Amino acid sequence: MTQYFSNKVIIITGAGSGMGRAYALAFAKLGTKLGLNDFNLAGLDETIQLIKDQTPSCHMVSQAFDVSDQNKMQTFANLCQQKLGNAFVVINNAGVEGAHMPAWQMDLSNYEHVMKINFFGVVSGTRAFLPQLLSEHTGHIVNVSSIFGLAGTPNHSDYCASKFAVRGYSEALMCELQNSGVQVHLLHPGGIDTNIAKSTGGQAFSKHYLKTSPEEITEYLIKHIEKGSTRIVYGNDSMKIWLGSKFVPLKILNKLIWSDMKKVIDQKPYNLIKLKKGMFK
């Protein structure tokens, strides 16, 4: 077992389920102190109980709130610092699914909601905890994008926009912090078997693509944080998308992605497509 994280403070947002819960359980076993967040209090409490059952000695602080609320995030950061000490790893993991429909059917509110959590939640977490990392001249920020932050996909323009935004923000942050001692890691999960796809439109997608366990990507992430990897790509179909985004011409890549994903997409909006003035709400 690695001693790199022993007695260090690990902050995880979206820890109430899925990857966030798997990260929390794994880091607890490494002898860390945990600051945990989730919007869902019941899910967060369940994660805390699991940690208590498996690692009774783990020292934890937790709060349930919306990660896009900068004031609440700053309050959380202050509490974690007071109770646990300065953060060593910050994993901005909290996220929500998109609306699972073509761009011309989406309301502007769909984009606003997804960007608020998936992108501004990352910005909020980074801004609140970065001063702690900089004061120690060491540490790690892990910002969770997606393979949908590497390539655009049909029925996911809202989600892709948020994950591309996380990618751009994180890559800029890497440049800015390269001489600070603080490392930025950009995680692009592939199809991870979590409960993120709650809507009816996401069920076919979830069943077909979300196959890698949260525990598997957690093990991979922990290893690559310690190694200092900047871009971390892992999970079902992740390598295929990453290589395609790097080496396949975009026009061809679009056709390949459509061919692969059309089987899990409602075709009716595409059969009736009529791009004309006023179709965007």
Side-chain angles (χ1 to χ4, degrees):
M1 181 174 70
T2 180
Q3 295 298 308
Y4 183 71
F5 303 100
S6 180
N7 206 38
K8 297 295 199 306
V9 178
I10 314 297
I11 309 298
I12 304 168
T13 67
S17 64
M19 288 188 294
R21 176 175 289 174
Y23 301 151
L25 290 167
F27 274 110
K29 292 178 181 177
L30 295 176
T32 67
K33 295 177 281 188
L34 296 175
L36 305 178
N37 148 272
D38 201 279
F39 184 75
N40 184 328
L41 179 58
L44 185 58
D45 285 343
E46 187 175 333
T47 296
I48 291 168
Q49 189 58 54
L50 287 168
I51 293 170
K52 288 179 178 179
D53 292 343
Q54 297 179 22
T55 317
S57 61
C58 183
H59 190 189
M60 291 178 283
V61 168
S62 65
Q63 281 191 340
F65 62 92
D66 182 341
V67 293
S68 68
D69 188 323
Q70 181 65 45
N71 291 329
K72 290 182 179 179
M73 183 66 80
Q74 188 60 59
T75 298
F76 178 58
N78 294 343
L79 179 65
C80 290
Q81 185 179 41
Q82 178 186 355
K83 299 292 187 180
L84 305 174
N86 284 333
F88 180 64
V89 177
V90 179
I91 305 180
N92 290 306
N93 165 75
V96 294
E97 67 176 327
H100 294 278
M101 60 180 66
W104 59 88
Q105 288 193 330
M106 274 192 224
D107 189 82
L108 185 60
S109 63
N110 295 126
Y111 293 98
E112 291 172 339
H113 173 66
V114 174
M115 289 296 291
K116 177 183 173 185
I117 307 301
N118 292 2
F119 174 61
F120 284 104
V122 168
V123 174
S124 176
T126 300
R127 286 169 58 88
F129 285 96
L130 182 56
Q132 296 182 26
L133 303 176
L134 290 174
S135 72
E136 299 287 344
H137 306 288
T138 187
H140 305 264
I141 297 172
V142 180
N143 289 340
V144 180
S145 177
S146 167
I147 56 170
F148 286 12
L150 295 169
T153 58
N155 275 26
H156 295 93
S157 61
D158 51 353
Y159 190 78
C160 287
S162 71
K163 294 303 186 177
F164 268 87
V166 170
R167 174 184 172 185
Y169 175 72
S170 301
E171 290 182 3
L173 198 62
M174 288 177 191
C175 290
E176 295 169 350
L177 296 177
Q178 61 186 305
N179 298 314
S180 70
V182 177
Q183 298 183 63
V184 179
H185 310 267
L186 181 56
L187 178 62
H188 294 277
I192 310 300
D193 185 13
T194 70
N195 64 349
I196 189 172
K198 297 181 175 68
S199 68
T200 302
Q203 293 307 304
F205 172 86
S206 176
K207 184 176 180 180
H208 186 81
Y209 289 108
L210 306 190
K211 299 187 180 295
T212 301
S213 74
E215 292 73 23
E216 193 175 334
I217 192 173
T218 295
E219 181 180 351
Y220 191 83
L221 173 63
I222 290 173
K223 179 174 67 176
H224 282 269
I225 292 174
E226 188 170 356
K227 285 177 62 176
S229 304
T230 49
R231 191 182 311 280
I232 304 169
V233 182
Y234 191 81
N236 185 47
D237 281 347
S238 61
M239 195 56 61
K240 179 171 68 175
I241 293 293
W242 181 55
L243 291 173
S245 69
K246 286 175 65 69
F247 299 115
V248 178
L250 185 55
K251 189 172 184 178
I252 296 174
L253 182 63
N254 289 339
K255 292 182 182 296
L256 292 173
I257 290 173
W258 173 257
S259 177
D260 186 69
M261 293 189 67
K262 65 182 181 180
K263 53 185 168 288
V264 299
I265 289 174
D266 179 9
Q267 296 295 302
K268 292 191 290 292
Y270 293 90
N271 295 334
L272 299 174
I273 183 172
K274 294 180 180 179
L275 294 174
K276 60 183 180 181
K277 183 178 180 180
M279 72 181 306
F280 284 91
K281 297 178 181 178

